[in-house]
Amino acid sequence: PVNMARAVIDQLKETGHVTRGWLGVSVQDISDELAESFGLKSKDGALVAEVVAGSPAEKAGIKRGDIILSFDGSKVEELRDLPRLVAAAPVGKKVGVEVFRDGRKLLLDVTIGKMDDDAPVGPATGDDGLGLKVQEITRELAERYSLDATEGVLVTAISPDGPAADANLRPGDVIVEIDGKAIKTVEEFRELAGKAKKGKVLRLLVQRGSSLFYTTVKK
């Protein structure tokens, strides 16, 4: 988006590098059924599925099950709106986050953290041009993310303006296959994703909760 591009250019001019904001939540889309169950009239917003311990979101009082409706005055109409708004927010800025909880709207003040320094993603691969980080599934990670999957690699971080975000991937997803080839380790992921040429479209089989789905991501 042009506004994000301008912000990136300004940061590069001033500091020579780009710093992204961090909130510390995993969010998901709101289906018609979920909207009805929460008493919402529309599917606007992003549903908080997980809050990272010690994150700016937790410190501000954001809870699992909250629906984020707006961020710093900008409406969150769909899932992908939120990561881009957060990433563009200056680190240390206090912003208002409107959430829907238990049938009413609340306005919470959140002080934005720094993604690179604060986000606890653990040891993981680089993104290999896909805009994500992955990690092998451990017992601790399986419990933390409530995983049903036992094979594949776990997505631990997503670049908000990268190919993985455009493919609607999110932290907590498990990549099971790339182009029909099973993935069991980080090394296998890196081999298949890393050797793909720029511009190639990769077909991914992804497990999210108990469901499997295919998506494509362009390197």
Side-chain angles (χ1 to χ4, degrees):
V2 65
N3 289 338
M4 179 174 288
R6 287 173 180 156
V8 168
I9 291 171
D10 290 341
Q11 286 192 44
L12 289 173
K13 286 180 178 178
E14 293 176 9
T15 67
H17 65 275
V18 178
T19 301
R20 298 188 183 279
W22 179 58
L23 184 59
V25 295
S26 294
V27 292
Q28 66 180 75
D29 286 313
I30 302 171
S31 64
D32 290 327
E33 293 78 10
L34 282 171
E36 183 178 353
S37 72
F38 280 105
L40 293 169
K41 296 181 180 179
S42 73
K43 296 190 295 181
D44 289 354
L47 174 60
V48 177
E50 182 182 11
V51 180
V52 176
S55 67
E58 185 188 54
K59 294 175 182 177
I62 294 176
K63 298 180 180 180
R64 180 185 298 166
D66 285 349
I67 296 169
I68 298 177
L69 302 175
S70 70
F71 178 89
D72 198 20
S74 296
K75 188 175 180 181
V76 177
E77 296 182 346
E78 57 183 3
L79 174 70
R80 65 171 49 185
D81 292 339
L82 184 64
R84 289 174 174 164
L85 290 169
V86 174
V91 173
K93 181 181 180 181
K94 182 176 286 187
V95 303
V97 177
E98 185 181 33
V99 304
F100 184 84
R101 180 191 300 167
D102 297 330
R104 61 194 182 101
K105 295 179 180 179
L106 302 173
L107 186 62
L108 304 174
D109 290 328
V110 180
T111 300
I112 298 301
K114 184 179 177 182
M115 179 182 288
D116 291 341
D117 293 341
D118 296 341
V121 299
T125 72
D127 64 19
D128 290 305
L130 302 184
L132 54 76
K133 291 185 178 182
V134 297
Q135 188 171 342
E136 290 174 13
I137 300 171
T138 64
R139 181 179 298 177
E140 291 179 354
L141 287 173
E143 292 177 356
R144 176 181 171 187
Y145 286 92
S146 301
L147 298 179
D148 292 328
T150 57
E151 295 187 351
V153 291
L154 174 68
V155 177
T156 57
I158 295 285
S159 175
D161 53 353
D166 291 337
N168 197 29
L169 291 172
R170 63 188 68 159
D173 286 347
V174 176
I175 298 175
V176 180
E177 294 179 359
I178 297 180
D179 286 342
K181 297 180 180 179
I183 302 296
K184 296 182 179 179
T185 67
V186 165
E187 285 304 315
E188 290 176 346
F189 170 85
R190 296 189 68 176
E191 181 180 354
L192 291 173
K195 72 179 182 181
K197 296 181 180 179
K198 187 174 182 179
K200 177 177 172 56
V201 175
L202 301 174
R203 185 183 74 250
L204 308 181
L205 178 62
V206 179
Q207 182 161 352
R208 180 176 295 164
S210 59
S211 301
L212 286 167
F213 66 92
Y214 285 100
T215 188
T216 57
V217 58
K218 187 175 182 180
K219 187 170 180 181

